[in-house]
Amino acid sequence: MSWREEAVDAAGRRLAFAEAGPPPGAPLVFLHGAGGTREVWARLGHGLSRKGRRVLALDLPGHGRSGGPGCRSIEEYAAWVLRFLGAQGLRRPVLAGHSMGGAVALACALSSAEALGGLILLGTGARLRVLDSILQGLRADFARAVDAIVGYSFAPGAPPALAEETRRELLACPPGVAEGDLRACDAFDVMDRLGEVTLPTLVLCGESDALTPSKYSRFLAGRIPGARLAIVEKAGHMLMLERPAQVGEAIAAFLDSLP
């Protein structure tokens, strides 16, 4: 994807992001998962921008090219995302979050719905418990813990190159930031608050997702008023890498349905 590399100062912190597609129009803002960067959206963003969609992909604090440390809670990340939207002057964007990024998007919707135009939740849940073996492994043997995460991330038969790409990205994340992300996920729980979400919402999940199984997405879609659910065949947790065309079609149809 031909990103326009940019950065903005938000409350004294440099937040890096990339943008593609025509500047006018309602923006779609992508939020990556734990230990990741905006690069995870490259394939999906390319397809959407070619269809005339304005897409932005943010490196969350402490990730990729964004400055400062990572955050210790989902709500703290959400506050930075809202600062980013304000600093960029983005009016009522649609937030699309994957895994931890989906939790961040939900937290933004619960605290500042008036600032957003919609939600797209990919491979995420209202509660994100993390295996204790992974949390402990991040300190004991970071590379081995990353291998375990990658092993859970893809559907059977996914191209090995995708797994290697994800492994490289996770290994590039500072171990302390990755651990902070997963502990923030482990503490996240808005199961009793989903009825408060008032935004148009699309929920997407890979049918073979082993990290956030489809029951998580069915719960989200069943509790968020008016939410739509799409299960993507032959995809695991990294559905936007495994099936970018199908995911892009579902997102484009959802965006077309918005006022």
Side-chain angles (χ1 to χ4, degrees):
M1 179 180 179
S2 298
W3 294 111
R4 295 187 293 275
E5 302 277 348
E6 300 185 46
V8 65
D9 181 270
R13 180 176 293 189
R14 181 184 186 274
L15 296 178
F17 66 100
E19 184 172 357
L28 173 63
V29 178
F30 288 123
L31 306 175
H32 61 76
T37 73
R38 68 192 188 212
E39 294 300 329
V40 75
W41 301 109
R43 293 173 178 82
L44 181 58
H46 177 69
L48 289 169
S49 66
R50 286 184 63 188
K51 294 178 181 178
R53 302 289 180 184
R54 181 187 179 193
V55 296
L56 298 90
L58 174 66
D59 279 336
L60 291 171
H63 299 72
R65 299 184 182 181
S66 285
C71 298
R72 295 301 174 180
S73 72
I74 297 301
E75 291 74 19
E76 188 181 351
Y77 275 124
W80 281 107
V81 169
L82 293 170
R83 292 184 187 109
F84 167 74
L85 300 181
Q88 278 299 105
L90 300 176
R91 297 183 64 251
R92 297 185 62 79
V94 173
L95 287 187
H98 173 247
S99 199
M100 182 184 79
V104 174
L106 273 171
C108 289
L110 288 168
S111 70
S112 302
E114 70 285 352
L116 306 176
L119 290 179
I120 301 173
L121 306 174
L122 302 94
T124 192
R127 184 170 66 183
L128 294 173
R129 293 292 182 259
V130 179
L131 291 172
D132 189 62
S133 60
I134 290 179
L135 290 173
Q136 299 301 321
L138 288 170
R139 290 190 177 185
D141 189 335
F142 183 65
R144 186 174 181 179
V146 165
D147 284 344
I149 293 169
V150 173
Y152 286 119
S153 294
F154 293 90
L162 292 182
E164 183 55 34
E165 178 183 318
T166 300
R167 180 180 289 105
R168 286 196 303 269
E169 181 161 283
L170 290 175
L171 287 172
C173 182
V177 172
E179 181 184 356
D181 285 357
L182 291 179
R183 292 194 180 278
C185 288
D186 194 52
F188 178 72
D189 186 348
V190 294
M191 293 181 72
D192 294 334
R193 298 192 62 195
L194 295 179
E196 301 173 32
V197 177
T198 59
L199 296 166
T201 301
L202 171 65
V203 182
L204 289 152
C205 185
E207 67 172 350
S208 299
D209 191 332
L211 287 175
T212 53
S214 60
K215 67 179 181 180
Y216 289 21
S217 290
R218 296 183 193 281
F219 185 86
L220 286 171
R223 297 297 180 92
I224 296 175
R228 306 178 189 185
L229 173 67
I231 303 297
V232 181
E233 296 181 354
K234 299 180 181 179
H237 189 60
M238 305 301 288
L239 65 166
M240 64 285 198
L241 292 179
E242 297 171 87
R243 301 293 171 190
Q246 293 91 323
V247 172
E249 288 171 5
I251 289 177
F254 172 72
L255 295 175
D256 285 342
S257 73
L258 298 179

